Amino acid sequence: MQIYEELQARGLIAQVTDEEIIRDLVNNGKAIFYIGFDPTADSLHIGHYMALSLMKRLQMAGNQPIALCGGGTAMIGDPSGRSDMRKMMTVETIDHNVACIREQMSRFIEFGEGKAILANNADWLRDLNFLEFMRDIGSLFSVNDMLRARCYVNRLEKGLSFLEFSYMLMQSYDFYMLYQKYGCNLQFGGDDQWSNMLGGTELIRKKLGKDASAMTINLLLKHDGTKMGKTAGGAVWLDPKKTTPYEFYQYWRNVDDEDVIKFLRMMTFLPLEQIDDMAGWQGSELNRAKEILAFELTRTVHGEEEAEKAKDAARSLFGGGPAAQIPTTVFHDDDFDENAEIGVIAALVKSGLATSNGDARRAIQQGGVKLSGVKVGDVYARIKKDEIASGDVLLQKGKKSFKKLTVE
């Protein structure tokens, strides 16, 4: 099976333009393709992993990836899939985030001469002359067509700033610049990016002529954001300081039964034949499939050693006792009151098991909180500092979220 057919079999292709051209490029290692990463945080998250793993697959098949950091577009913010305007970031914050995610990308993609290219659209967007850009680029876009674009339709009723409206022009200009600088002939994106991607193909056609349009082709990365990337403590990050390898492992160990085979196909590098064999597994065998999924993804993101630790910690915990590798929350003297105690609600929030006091209170009232295996029934329950210092306190929310509490 060639790489394009494998991407289809894994469920990664949603829609394309010029499929036969794409198939020829990808299967023969002739694709120079880009995926954009807007640096909205100082770490990539699990949604980005989908893109990174796709880039890795294609690089392994002889194609050349371009990882484009959005140091310029992040100053606007992509309105796709948003109900409100993104928070504006300073240039210093954006540049810091770019530096952080560049380092993370290198764990998945091989950069260097003749290999992957690392680019930053700040290089051509930040110093644009507005009047020249609007005359040269803006004049080629139809507002009527843009207003029908999927990336804007959800925002029109609630309000869309002109700043965000210009995002399509900026992303289209990225493809145009990458085409000219590196010969980029293929762009990838999530299913919410289709309108922006088509804008890029049209821009190249209009600026460079019909002969170039055959190369301005798109492959859409399919993903289901509603079922991915959220934990009790927030998003699932690739940075181990934000989401520990154990938490990362547990997230995938606890996916819904209906999703495990889909995620194995889309996100792991296991042979399809092996995954197809798992498709018929039921009951306890499904739990085994989830363990395989969790281990493979943790190994890819954090390495073999951390994956083994996370697996051992999970088995130790669910086998009846806490393990040293379970995520730990450290408390300090100023976390405790004058009686050297802390409320369970405060402990839930500090540990990241609850997002707010209200969230913690509801979890207790619904019987979803345990302290060292004992259900907490009182929202005013407190934990003594000495108990935490003993090293025996395990705080649990729901069936699958745990934190070991310690004191420094």
Side-chain angles (χ1 to χ4, degrees), residues 157-175:
E157 291 184 5
K158 293 188 176 182
L160 177 72
S161 71
F162 180 77
L163 180 68
E164 295 173 287
F165 190 58
S166 67
Y167 191 91
M168 182 185 291
L169 275 68
M170 300 297 178
Q171 182 169 330
S172 300
Y173 191 65
D174 284 345
F175 194 15

Side-chain angles (χ1 to χ4, degrees), residues 226-350:
T226 62
K227 290 201 173 187
M228 291 174 54
K230 296 294 183 183
T231 66
V236 177
W237 302 99
L238 304 189
D239 184 344
K241 295 177 182 176
K242 289 179 174 287
T243 299
T244 68
Y246 174 81
E247 291 169 320
F248 189 88
Y249 179 96
Q250 281 298 102
Y251 175 79
W252 297 108
R253 174 61 182 80
N254 296 327
V255 298
D256 292 342
D257 290 355
E258 64 191 48
D259 292 326
V260 61
I261 300 301
K262 177 177 70 175
F263 288 159
L264 279 164
R265 287 197 180 104
M266 296 178 75
M267 304 184 74
T268 75
F269 289 81
L270 293 175
L272 282 168
E273 296 80 4
Q274 181 180 347
I275 299 171
D276 289 341
D277 288 342
M278 297 184 211
W281 289 4
Q282 300 291 331
S284 61
E285 288 184 319
L286 264 182
N287 287 330
R288 183 179 162 212
K290 292 179 183 181
E291 287 185 344
I292 293 171
L293 171 68
F295 182 82
E296 289 298 321
L297 292 181
T298 307
R299 177 169 63 177
T300 301
V301 173
H302 296 295
E304 183 95 24
E305 182 179 353
E306 292 297 333
E308 289 287 356
K309 287 181 181 178
K311 180 177 69 174
D312 291 345
R315 288 181 174 176
S316 176
L317 176 62
F318 291 103
Q325 294 85 5
I326 295 170
T328 297
T329 295
V330 178
F331 291 83
H332 301 90
D333 289 343
D334 56 3
D335 291 313
F336 300 93
D337 61 18
E338 63 275 11
N339 297 317
E341 295 179 343
I342 185 172
V344 173
I345 286 178
L348 285 164
V349 174
K350 181 175 176 64

Side-chain angles (χ1 to χ4, degrees), residues 175 187 197-206 216-218:
F175 194 15
Q187 57 178 325
M197 294 164 67
L198 292 180
T201 66
E202 278 297 292
L203 178 59
I204 293 177
R205 183 183 67 81
K206 291 174 180 177
T216 60
I217 46 187
N218 309 270

